[in-house]
Amino acid sequence: MNGEVIFCPKWHRAFWFLLFAVPCFLHAGEAEITCRSCQPGSKWRGKELLLKFHTSESATGFRGQVFGNSERRFGAASAETPRLSCAVGSAECARARVEYPETSLKRNTRDLRAKGELGQSEFTQMKVSNVSTSGQKKNGRVEGVRRRARRNSHGDKLGSPRSAQNQDRGEATGTVAGRRVTRSELRWSGEERRAAGPRQEELKLNSSTFALTGDSSHNQAMVHWSGQNSSVILMLTKLFDFNLNSVTESSLWRSTDYGATYQKLNDKVGAKTILSYLYVSPNNKRKIMLLTDPEVESSLLISSDEGATYQKYRLNFYILSLLFHPEQEDWILAYSHDQKLYSSVEFGRRWQLVHERVAPNRFYWSKMGLDKEPGLIHLETSITEGQALYVTCKLQNCTDANKGKPFPGYIDPNSLVVQDEYVFVQVSAGGRPIYYVSAKRDVFTPMKLPKYTLPKDLHVISTDENRVVAAVREWNQNETYNLYVSDTSGVYYTLALENVVSSMGPEGNVMVDLYEVAGIKGMFLANKRTDNQVKTYITYNRGRDWRLLQAPSKDLRGNSIHCVLPYCSLHLHLHVSANPYTSGNIASRDSAPGIIVASGSIGAELTTSNVSVFITSDAGNTWRQQIFDEEYAVLYLDQGGALVAIRHTPLPIRHLWLSFDEGRQWNKYSFTNTPLFVDGVLGEPGEETLIMTIFGHVSHRSEWQLVKIDFRSIFNRRCIEADYQTWHLHNQGEPCLMGVKRIYRKLKPTSRCVMGKTYSVTMTSAPCDCTEADFECDYGFERRTDGKCTPAFWFHPSSMSRSCTTGMTFLNSTGYRKVVSNNCTAGVSAEYTARRQQCPIQAPKGLHLVTSEGSLTAVLGTNVTFLVFLEEGDGARTSITLDFGDGHALTYSNVSSIEDGIKHIYKAVGIYRVTATGENSLGSETAMLYLHVTCQLEYIHLSAPFVAVRNKEVNLTAVLWPSQVGTVTYIWWIGNNTEQPVITLEGSVAYTFSREGINTVTVQVSAGNTILQDRKTIAVHEYFRSHLLAFSSNLDEHNPDIAEWRLDVSRVIKNSLIQATGVREDQLLVTVLPGLPTAAEFFLLPDKQITEGKPEKSSAHLDQLSELLLSALNQNLVQFTLRPGVQVTVYAAHLSAAPLVDTSENHSGSAMLMLLSVVVVGLAVFVIYKFKRKIPGLNVYAQMQNEKEQEMSPANPTVATPSSQQDLVHSLEILDTEFNSRPIEY
């Protein structure tokens, strides 16, 4: 059983919310609190399909009520990218995860909030994080995050939000930075001041007070009531040092008398042990787990006797979150800080590594009746930054051989959601997400929303009653969502309500204003935006029909309220705002059907001003405004037989209010003689709560004061049958709701008695005749203004028979389908129910061909999985032929034989036309895609001359390695034109330099996700001479053959030539050529002042300089020291690559250089021709096979590759020798 904790820590405009005491919430079918990690991690986490669902039970503190502090955070981790997310509040994300974190308390120093708002503890909410889904109701995931109420060791200050986040292992707890409370704010009200003095007759409650002596400095507390019918309460208090960002002290207290007295257990856990968290098994509340602070030691303390004794076990990893098995009390999954998942089958005494690289909060226990074995785990593993896999494996044997891959292909990160009988994943293709669903662990099918929904964001809200409720933000929406409901398969969706209001939760979660009322099946409340106004709507038939709420007829002073529908109505706060001080709250209980307590306003729209508390006793048909003119939090006693209201204030109080007639009248009671700053309230587990503990302090530096209140003394007797009455559920007089008439037995408002633990809600029902109101529009149909469902303009009703097999029958839709869980009979059922007809014989139509990853690229040598879908036609009699475009093809006898996809390996780079053909006796259909098969680009080299002649065309070539990598784009920046690049699909360009000088050429090559670049410098001149140089052999021993070395040696050679000949520096260029033996080339430029630009003078001048340099070289006058002891001599080569002089009429540049350029260009053309891409042939080789066959051929590219590492190195040497750049010195 779970304890109820009401925490209003530091009521400095405190944000009341339901913090469930550790064991509070793993009860099937109950509402959940949203948890930080539901993002996934929050789960159809579409930033994620993330999904969580808050129900009223959780809000009211099912199994224990918690009244809130501003720390209550509802929401998954901030939505990363749109991903499937577990719905906030989903069982798996909420019940399971929040159940075990203990509730936390804080010192109360907060000022008043907006009037009339209820405690967050009392509110139930649907919460989402990209594609969110509310999940496994019986799972017990426990987050490393704990909802804590803090009191600062300095008395009246709270830690900063950053501190709050840091303390909780990186997961935000939601604390809002507080401010110093002024003295005036701490003055008692006149009411309390009078209450402190002598009084005549005062109603008092039976209470006792206990002080936690010695813990006055502790600023955090976590409380757990062991369970129903148990008197054990555990309380962990801690001193959190915000400067050190760690817990420095802790104390463990235990009560065995319902909180009247407590015993300190520090000696039993170790006097020096610092505790950080407390967990409880959801299946056996006697089993307790304590986690030590990892800053000191990483250990677990385990108790099997409700915390009386403990055993310590060392850990070698740091626990971030826990997930308890829904049935096996000793089975636990633990997620570590380094993305590793561990398992234990001994309640934490021993741990075993399950898997690495697991996505946060994307791991789930198997579900009995759906999965093959109880020890199966569903998890999402990270492959790359943008890819993940859905994997299943065994608890104690998660090897590659035992892993299953239910979804064929990669999924988007943080998108796996396993909830009830459904599994959701998301795959992005072409920039748009595709959502897949599997029902009852069957094959995955794309979710079918109305054709032009085009979702930007999708959250699965609920999977109750064998259907999915999804919140979709469509292409034209920014702040609202549309609600869609599915059929039982979870595939086909129809619109339920448009423009539902949403907001961003404190942790970055999307909060959708949708509330499911507890105790009344099919009843929801939602806030809808209409004409820029937010209005509250109610439905009694799961969204089939919605209406506004009728406002109360009188205000709290008895004055009449003039509020006429539809211009004026009652509006309720259903969401958690980003501002924790202005959020609304709502509460209902399964044990008190028809009673709803909520805060809201009356008028044309929902406002945050003039907020009051409203109560309904007849399931929303009529509402009463309450007497409170200040802010109060309301919780249920005795299974809803009484209501308790506690003032929400930063001031010390000693009174609370009780109502025994469903909030019609309230009586004031004192619970202590000394006013108390209230930090929180813990209620006895179970809905029959009659014992509470109020936590607080008499001053800011006093010990925690624990006031136990026993409400049993205020009841005269136990209830008898005469104290009950019957109540007929109706909607404005209509008794048939969800196809039945429901009659409840509930306590009379005039009876003041105890219902006790043996009371249970009694409800009788009788079926109604079916009417049109019991049916909603089927997929592809839309409701007109007259209420009729007609086909949408994009929908072809015949397409619904696409899975038909000739000779079989199918259900032909009438445009209607019965609302899920509706139990009406007869009436118009035959008219609106789908009719069974013979499957028509039709040709295949709507054939789709995609890759499993949704991409149009593949890597050479890897398996490519093709998926083929058929929208219409006899799938069992339609053969499928898949032509891979590389000369191979496969044929399958029917569509069902290729549900897992068809795999193929391509052996050469290229663009392949892949064709799928479906054919039967009536016709055929073809689908086609073009697949780009690529390989990784490793290296590029820009081949260009070192010196070019002005106004002469130069060829620039980019050489790739490997030469065939797929589709390539070349981007060129040539000369001084750096702003306008030239983009080509060919690796060579021709360019003419019109000016003399130094020009830079840069080329970038883009292949797939890879971009590589090379750059060369070209000297452009009209006249020059050149000659090759050779060196003494000792230089080769020190030549690493890299560009930087050649550049440095070129500079040294140039300086040596200048020293030996006296040639001016601006007339000489030197470059060392790549490769061995080491060679170089020098270039002589004419002196413009001497030659006056005349060809004949330039030629003569260059001849003189050339003879001077050659003479020095022939006499061995040119030498340089490479390193100590290594003297290198420079010689003139006997043969030059081209004539020294350009003797043409217009140019005296070197003819030899021109010849060299021709040779280089010719060689580049040869290389390009040699390795140019060959377009794959389109001739099809039909390999007829009736059985499905997966081709797993090893990659064997037709392009020759080096046979060894030595060959590869040699190939690179040749490439560098022929094409690498030659550094030039000026």
Side-chain angles (χ1 to χ4, degrees):
M1 299 303 153
N2 303 310
E4 301 193 0
V5 182
I6 304 172
F7 294 127
C8 33
K10 297 222 177 213
W11 294 6
H12 170 288
R13 296 168 62 193
F15 174 46
W16 286 56
F17 57 88
L18 191 76
L19 286 180
F20 288 94
V22 159
C24 275
F25 316 124
L26 243 202
H27 292 78
E30 304 316 328
E32 308 103 311
I33 330 180
T34 54
C35 59
R36 171 184 172 79
S37 51
C38 287
Q39 157 164 265
S42 2
K43 281 203 168 200
W44 245 140
R45 251 161 202 29
K47 210 208 135 298
E48 270 159 327
L49 274 187
L50 177 97
L51 165 80
K52 279 195 145 184
F53 181 15
H54 298 268
T55 69
S56 56
E57 298 270 30
S58 126
T60 58
F62 174 78
R63 306 300 180 194
Q65 302 194 19
V66 182
F67 285 94
N69 57 42
S70 57
E71 301 239 7
R72 172 59 182 284
R73 307 283 294 259
F74 291 88
S78 53
E80 323 81 16
T81 48
R83 293 285 178 275
L84 293 183
S85 352
C86 68
V88 257
S90 65
E92 111 196 19
C93 275
R95 283 183 195 120
R97 303 182 189 180
V98 179
E99 153 138 29
Y100 316 104
E102 292 315 323
T103 325
S104 309
L105 294 175
K106 272 209 280 213
R107 290 278 192 185
N108 168 9
T109 57
R110 297 187 179 273
D111 59 9
L112 291 174
R113 292 188 314 163
K115 293 183 179 180
E117 296 186 43
L118 284 180
Q120 186 65 29
S121 57
E122 292 291 336
F123 108 95
T124 296
Q125 191 118 15
M126 305 269 190
K127 177 181 174 190
V128 274
S129 291
N130 281 334
V131 185
S132 333
T133 58
S134 73
Q136 313 164 336
K137 297 191 174 60
K138 299 189 185 287
N139 278 5
R141 191 183 299 275
V142 180
E143 305 297 337
V145 175
R146 293 293 172 267
R147 276 65 178 170
R148 307 179 178 179
R150 300 190 183 84
R151 61 175 182 179
N152 192 289
S153 57
H154 300 295
D156 57 358
K157 282 188 177 181
L158 286 177
S160 67
R162 170 63 65 183
S163 301
Q165 293 172 357
N166 292 343
Q167 85 175 52
D168 216 354
R169 306 179 184 179
E171 298 191 53
T173 58
T175 301
V176 178
R179 60 176 177 84
R180 185 176 299 276
V181 180
T182 64
R183 184 178 301 275
S184 62
E185 287 179 297
L186 297 179
R187 289 200 303 266
W188 296 2
S189 66
E191 171 195 0
E192 298 298 342
R193 194 162 48 243
R194 291 190 298 272
R199 42 186 50 58
Q200 299 172 349
E201 288 295 332
E202 180 179 61
L203 297 175
K204 295 184 178 181
L205 295 170
N206 184 11
S207 65
S208 61
T209 303
F210 185 87
L212 300 184
T213 306
D215 286 355
S216 60
S217 63
H218 289 193
N219 54 7
Q220 296 178 0
M222 303 173 70
V223 187
H224 159 66
W225 199 317
S226 180
Q228 200 168 12
N229 301 321
S230 173
S231 61
V232 175
I233 301 175
L234 290 175
M235 185 170 184
L236 174 63
T237 65
K238 299 177 288 184
L239 171 59
F240 185 86
D241 190 315
F242 290 93
N243 294 322
L244 298 177
N245 196 35
S246 64
V247 178
T248 57
E249 294 180 17
S250 67
S251 295
L252 182 64
W253 299 83
R254 185 173 186 263
S255 172
T256 57
D257 53 9
Y258 290 94
T261 61
Y262 287 81
Q263 177 188 4
K264 200 169 187 177
L265 301 183
N266 283 25
D267 57 335
K268 294 189 178 182
V269 298
K272 296 184 179 180
T273 299
I274 298 177
L275 303 174
S276 57
Y277 298 103
L278 189 156
Y279 303 85
V280 181
S281 170
N283 304 299
N284 184 351
K285 299 300 191 296
R286 295 179 58 84
K287 291 190 174 183
I288 311 295
M289 181 183 296
L290 296 172
L291 185 62
T292 62
D293 192 318
E295 297 293 331
V296 180
E297 63 174 325
S298 186
S299 302
L300 285 177
L301 289 96
I302 297 175
S303 172
S304 298
D305 52 11
E306 290 187 288
T309 60
Y310 294 89
Q311 291 179 312
K312 181 180 284 189
Y313 297 88
R314 297 284 183 180
L315 290 175
N316 58 4
F317 62 95
Y318 174 18
I319 293 178
L320 286 182
S321 63
L322 296 178
L323 180 63
F324 289 87
H325 194 277
E327 297 170 358
Q328 299 290 336
E329 63 184 54
D330 291 334
W331 291 14
I332 310 174
L333 295 177
Y335 187 72
S336 71
H337 66 290
D338 53 357
Q339 294 188 313
K340 293 181 180 179
L341 186 65
Y342 296 84
S343 67
S344 174
V345 294
E346 302 177 45
F347 198 70
R349 292 173 177 85
R350 296 170 186 258
W351 294 92
Q352 176 177 324
L353 178 64
V354 176
H355 208 287
E356 298 181 347
R357 295 178 61 84
V358 177
N361 305 300
R362 302 296 177 173
F363 47 92
Y364 310 84
W365 286 109
S366 57
K367 187 175 179 65
M368 291 296 293
L370 290 175
D371 294 289
K372 296 180 181 179
E373 48 189 294
L376 196 69
I377 304 172
H378 302 261
L379 53 90
E380 177 186 312
T381 63
S382 302
I383 305 300
T384 63
E385 183 177 350
Q387 292 181 325
L389 279 177
Y390 167 28
V391 174
T392 59
C393 61
K394 297 180 180 179
L395 174 64
Q396 296 289 304
N397 188 20
C398 190
T399 62
D400 290 339
N402 291 320
K403 289 181 185 177
K405 295 182 180 179
F407 185 80
Y410 295 115
I411 64 175
D412 290 351
N414 297 314
S415 70
L416 172 66
V417 175
V418 181
Q419 185 168 304
D420 295 327
E421 64 182 54
Y422 299 98
V423 181
F424 303 91
V425 297
Q426 173 181 316
V427 177
S428 294
R432 290 171 55 183
I434 302 174
Y435 304 105
Y436 290 87
V437 61
S438 166
K440 298 181 179 180
R441 307 301 188 261
D442 204 347
V443 296
F444 280 89
T445 305
M447 296 170 62
K448 294 287 188 178
L449 293 163
K451 186 172 183 179
Y452 296 106
T453 299
L454 306 178
K456 295 191 295 186
D457 191 15
L458 186 150
H459 306 269
V460 176
I461 298 298
S462 169
T463 54
D464 295 338
E465 311 253 2
N466 299 320
R467 78 158 185 181
V468 179
V469 179
V472 179
R473 176 173 289 176
E474 302 190 20
W475 62 273
N476 58 349
Q477 293 177 304
N478 293 319
E479 297 179 354
T480 60
Y481 282 77
N482 290 347
L483 293 181
Y484 288 87
V485 295
S486 77
D487 60 352
T488 56
S489 71
V491 174
Y492 299 100
Y493 291 80
T494 59
L495 181 65
L497 185 65
E498 291 183 293
N499 295 319
V500 178
V501 174
S502 70
S503 63
M504 190 63 68
E507 296 180 15
N509 280 13
V510 174
M511 310 292 293
V512 176
D513 279 18
L514 178 65
Y515 176 83
E516 181 174 16
V517 178
I520 308 291
K521 184 174 69 173
M523 182 176 175
F524 289 84
L525 292 161
N527 283 333
K528 174 182 177 180
R529 186 180 299 279
T530 304
D531 297 329
N532 293 323
Q533 292 182 325
V534 177
K535 301 175 183 289
T536 301
Y537 288 78
I538 190 171
T539 179
Y540 294 86
N541 54 8
R542 287 190 171 272
R544 163 62 171 79
D545 300 291
W546 297 84
R547 66 170 175 84
L548 294 168
L549 298 179
Q550 178 64 60
S553 59
K554 297 183 181 298
D555 64 14
L556 54 82
R557 294 175 181 82
N559 300 320
S560 297
I561 299 176
H562 182 70
C563 186
V564 179
L565 293 172
Y567 310 104
C568 173
S569 59
L570 174 63
H571 311 286
L572 304 177
H573 290 283
L574 306 176
H575 70 287
V576 177
S577 170
N579 181 349
Y581 305 125
T582 60
S583 62
N585 300 287
I586 184 169
S588 58
R589 298 289 290 269
D590 277 334
S591 61
I595 301 177
I596 307 172
V597 184
S599 63
S601 60
I602 298 174
E605 62 177 326
L606 179 66
T607 65
T608 55
S609 59
N610 299 320
V611 176
S612 299
V613 178
F614 298 89
I615 293 181
T616 178
S617 300
D618 57 3
N621 285 282
T622 60
W623 294 81
R624 300 184 302 277
Q625 189 171 6
Q626 294 309 292
I627 63 172
F628 308 121
D629 57 358
E630 295 181 275
E631 184 162 4
Y632 280 75
V634 180
L635 70 142
Y636 293 77
L637 281 181
D638 190 29
Q639 311 211 46
L643 299 176
V644 177
I646 302 176
R647 187 181 174 198
H648 199 187
T649 172
L651 307 180
I653 61 174
R654 53 185 299 272
H655 294 95
L656 51 74
W657 294 76
L658 281 171
S659 174
F660 303 96
D661 57 1
E662 300 176 344
R664 292 176 175 85
Q665 293 181 346
W666 294 87
N667 297 314
K668 183 179 178 181
Y669 290 80
S670 66
F671 62 86
T672 180
N673 292 326
T674 304
L676 193 69
F677 290 95
V678 176
D679 295 317
V681 180
L682 174 65
E684 179 185 8
E687 303 199 3
E688 70 283 352
T689 301
L690 287 172
I691 298 177
M692 288 185 181
T693 298
I694 294 181
F695 301 85
H697 54 285
V698 295
S699 69
H700 293 303
R701 298 189 180 276
S702 68
E703 291 86 1
W704 294 96
Q705 304 289 318
L706 279 60
V707 181
K708 173 191 172 184
I709 304 175
D710 191 339
F711 291 97
R712 290 175 293 187
S713 62
I714 64 175
F715 293 95
N716 301 325
R717 57 186 174 78
R718 298 192 68 85
C719 296
I720 60 176
E721 188 62 33
D723 292 310
Y724 296 95
Q725 65 180 3
T726 58
W727 172 64
H728 295 255
L729 174 65
H730 65 93
N731 175 15
Q732 295 182 324
E734 172 54 57
C736 287
L737 301 177
M738 296 295 291
V740 294
K741 296 178 181 179
R742 282 174 275 181
I743 304 174
Y744 293 86
R745 186 184 75 149
K746 60 192 304 185
L747 195 65
K748 293 178 180 178
T750 57
S751 297
R752 183 169 173 176
C753 57
V754 175
M755 290 188 286
K757 302 179 186 298
T758 59
Y759 169 79
S760 60
V761 176
T762 302
M763 187 267 290
T764 59
S765 62
C768 299
D769 288 341
C770 292
T771 67
E772 190 269 343
D774 295 308
F775 294 83
E776 61 190 4
C777 291
D778 204 350
Y779 173 76
F781 291 81
E782 297 175 338
R783 191 174 302 279
R784 298 185 311 197
T785 55
D786 60 1
K788 300 297 182 181
C789 295
T790 57
F793 73 93
W794 50 265
F795 181 66
H796 303 286
S798 62
S799 66
M800 296 300 292
S801 63
R802 63 194 167 285
S803 58
C804 265
T805 300
T806 303
M808 305 296 289
T809 60
F810 77 105
L811 291 174
N812 188 18
S813 176
T814 61
Y816 298 84
R817 66 187 185 196
K818 185 183 287 188
V819 174
V820 174
S821 301
N822 187 295
N823 296 315
C824 71
T825 58
V828 299
S829 180
E831 179 183 349
Y832 286 91
T833 302
R835 301 177 180 86
R836 186 162 296 280
Q837 297 180 357
Q838 288 290 325
C839 291
I841 302 175
Q842 55 183 339
K845 186 177 180 181
L847 190 68
H848 296 275
L849 172 64
V850 296
T851 61
S852 59
E853 292 81 12
S855 67
L856 296 175
T857 63
V859 178
L860 181 68
T862 61
N863 262 318
V864 183
T865 301
F866 295 97
L867 303 177
V868 181
F869 303 101
L870 182 63
E871 288 190 2
E872 299 180 36
D874 187 350
R877 298 172 183 266
T878 300
S879 65
I880 299 294
T881 299
L882 189 62
D883 180 359
F884 300 108
D886 62 349
H888 295 83
L890 294 175
T891 297
Y892 298 88
S893 59
N894 55 64
V895 176
S896 60
S897 63
I898 55 174
E899 288 177 344
D900 294 333
I902 304 172
K903 296 181 179 180
H904 185 69
I905 295 177
Y906 286 92
K907 301 178 181 179
V909 169
I911 302 176
Y912 296 87
R913 186 178 68 184
V914 184
T915 305
T917 303
E919 185 174 7
N920 62 22
S921 59
L922 296 180
S924 63
E925 176 88 350
T926 300
M928 181 185 308
L929 66 80
Y930 290 91
L931 184 70
H932 293 242
V933 178
T934 64
C935 66
Q936 182 69 32
L937 177 62
E938 299 177 5
Y939 173 81
I940 70 166
H941 168 77
L942 175 57
S943 175
F946 317 117
V947 179
V949 179
R950 185 172 69 90
N951 292 327
K952 289 289 188 179
E953 189 173 82
V954 174
N955 193 56
L956 308 172
T957 301
V959 182
L960 312 183
W961 183 269
S963 59
Q964 295 186 17
V965 294
T967 304
V968 176
T969 301
Y970 301 84
I971 307 171
W972 305 84
W973 289 268
I974 303 175
N976 297 322
N977 187 12
T978 58
E979 295 182 358
Q980 299 295 331
V982 177
I983 301 176
T984 68
L985 296 178
E986 298 296 334
S988 294
V989 296
Y991 190 81
T992 301
F993 295 97
S994 59
R995 296 183 180 179
E996 290 187 319
I998 304 301
N999 291 270
T1000 300
V1001 178
T1002 301
V1003 62
Q1004 289 185 345
V1005 179
S1006 175
N1009 294 325
T1010 303
I1011 296 180
L1012 298 182
Q1013 173 179 299
D1014 195 12
R1015 177 179 291 132
K1016 291 294 182 292
T1017 300
I1018 300 176
V1020 179
H1021 295 281
E1022 193 161 6
Y1023 312 102
F1024 59 85
R1025 294 284 191 275
S1026 68
H1027 202 288
L1028 295 176
L1029 300 175
F1031 304 91
S1032 54
S1033 59
N1034 57 349
L1035 181 59
D1036 293 342
E1037 301 173 5
H1038 303 280
N1039 184 354
D1041 200 17
I1042 61 175
E1044 291 82 357
W1045 184 88
R1046 291 192 292 270
L1047 184 62
D1048 290 335
V1049 173
S1050 297
R1051 186 177 61 255
V1052 172
I1053 298 171
K1054 178 178 178 179
N1055 293 335
S1056 299
L1057 286 170
I1058 292 173
Q1059 291 177 2
T1061 63
V1063 175
R1064 284 168 41 189
E1065 182 177 357
D1066 60 350
Q1067 293 183 268
L1068 181 63
L1069 303 177
V1070 177
T1071 181
V1072 175
L1073 307 179
L1076 293 173
T1078 307
E1081 187 172 7
F1082 72 81
F1083 297 86
L1084 289 173
L1085 307 176
D1087 187 337
K1088 296 293 183 66
Q1089 295 180 351
I1090 297 176
T1091 62
E1092 299 177 354
K1094 297 180 179 181
E1096 60 278 7
K1097 289 186 177 181
S1098 297
S1099 178
H1101 178 61
L1102 291 175
D1103 288 340
Q1104 294 175 1
L1105 292 179
S1106 178
E1107 292 176 2
L1108 179 61
L1109 263 68
L1110 291 175
S1111 175
L1113 291 169
N1114 292 332
Q1115 298 177 44
N1116 296 335
L1117 298 179
V1118 183
Q1119 298 181 347
F1120 63 91
T1121 302
L1122 185 66
R1123 56 185 301 180
V1126 180
Q1127 188 75 13
V1128 179
T1129 303
V1130 184
Y1131 307 98
H1134 295 294
L1135 297 175
S1136 60
L1140 292 179
V1141 182
D1142 180 0
T1143 57
S1144 66
E1145 179 179 356
N1146 295 325
H1147 301 284
S1148 58
S1150 170
M1152 168 199 251
L1153 178 63
M1154 297 303 299
L1155 178 59
L1156 178 61
S1157 300
V1158 171
V1159 171
V1160 171
V1161 172
L1163 185 57
V1165 171
F1166 172 78
V1167 170
I1168 294 172
Y1169 174 80
K1170 180 69 176 178
F1171 297 104
K1172 71 176 181 179
R1173 182 181 65 215
K1174 298 180 179 179
I1175 303 300
L1178 298 180
N1179 295 328
V1180 178
Y1181 169 71
Q1183 181 179 352
M1184 307 300 291
Q1185 286 182 257
N1186 292 325
E1187 298 180 352
K1188 183 168 67 174
E1189 156 181 317
Q1190 305 300 324
E1191 179 169 324
M1192 303 293 291
S1193 305
N1196 184 24
T1198 56
V1199 179
T1201 57
S1203 59
S1204 66
Q1205 183 66 26
Q1206 183 177 358
D1207 293 340
L1208 177 60
V1209 172
H1210 182 66
S1211 300
L1212 289 173
E1213 289 177 352
I1214 296 175
L1215 182 67
D1216 192 42
T1217 300
E1218 295 181 348
F1219 301 113
N1220 203 4
S1221 62
R1222 306 179 187 179
I1224 300 176
E1225 275 301 323
Y1226 303 101

